[in-house]
Amino acid sequence: MNAHQSVGIVMIEDDEGHARLIEKNIRRAGILNDIKHFTDGGQALHHLFEAADGPAKNGPALVLLDLNLPDMSGTDILARIKAEDSPLKRTPVVVLTTTDDKIEIQRCYDLGCNVYITKPVNYESFAQAIRQLGLFLSVIQVPEVEEH
C-alpha cells in the first residue's frame, strides 16, 4: 500500500463515538494513512483549503464527511470541495451519515460526492461497514491536487 501512503484521510464527524469507531475499523482494515479528525465544518474547511499541511497545499486526500454537523451542513462543505474553481474538486468524498433520505442522497451525488453510505444504527453493522470501507480505501486511486 506504500504508493497510497501519502493520501491523508480527513474525517469530518461531530460524534466522538462514531469517529473512534470509524478510525478503529479503518485501522483494522490495514489502512495506515494519516487520519485527521474535525468535529465541525469551520475547522475542517480551514484545514482542507488553508492549512499548510492540508490537502489544498499539501497533496491528495480523501474526505469522510458526516452531513449533520453542529455549525453547518455537510452538503455545504461538499459543495465547497467540489466547486468548479476548487483546487480540491477531484478529491474523493465519502458521505457517511445517518440519513437515508432519497432527496438528500441525490443532492449529494449531484454536488459531486463519490460514495454515499448510510450509517447502520446497529454497532456491529456499523463496524462491519467501516471495515469494508477500509478495504475500499486500500484499493482506490486518488488524483493529485491541481496547482492553481
Side-chain angles (χ1 to χ4, degrees), residues 1-59:
M1 227 203 86
N2 42 19
H4 298 298
Q5 212 56 51
S6 62
V7 176
I9 296 172
V10 178
M11 174 168 52
I12 310 170
E13 167 63 78
D14 66 323
D15 183 316
E16 292 290 349
H18 284 177
R20 278 196 300 276
L21 189 65
I22 290 167
E23 182 149 2
K24 192 170 81 179
N25 285 289
I26 283 178
R27 296 291 180 229
R28 271 197 191 141
I31 302 289
L32 305 172
N33 304 43
D34 184 46
I35 298 177
K36 288 216 176 9
H37 174 218
F38 298 92
T39 52
D40 68 71
Q43 287 179 316
L45 282 172
H46 175 80
H47 173 74
L48 286 166
F49 289 97
E50 312 298 332
D53 65 339
K57 304 221 185 323
N58 194 37

Side-chain angles (χ1 to χ4, degrees), residues 12 45 48-49 63 65 76-84 86-91 93:
I12 310 170
L45 282 172
L48 286 166
F49 289 97
V63 178
L65 176 63
D76 293 342
I77 297 175
L78 177 61
R80 290 276 296 279
I81 293 172
K82 296 294 187 175
E84 231 353 91
S86 163
L88 301 177
K89 67 173 178 269
R90 293 199 185 105
T91 298
V93 177

Side-chain angles (χ1 to χ4, degrees), residues 73 75-76 78 102-112:
S73 154
T75 47
D76 293 342
L78 177 61
K102 284 189 170 50
I103 304 294
E104 190 76 327
I105 294 170
Q106 285 173 346
R107 205 165 126 221
C108 286
Y109 279 111
D110 287 346
L111 287 170

Side-chain angles (χ1 to χ4, degrees), residues 108-125:
C108 286
Y109 279 111
D110 287 346
L111 287 170
C113 99
N114 300 78
V115 181
Y116 189 107
I117 298 173
T118 304
K119 291 178 187 169
V121 185
N122 163 311
Y123 178 92
E124 224 359 88
S125 315

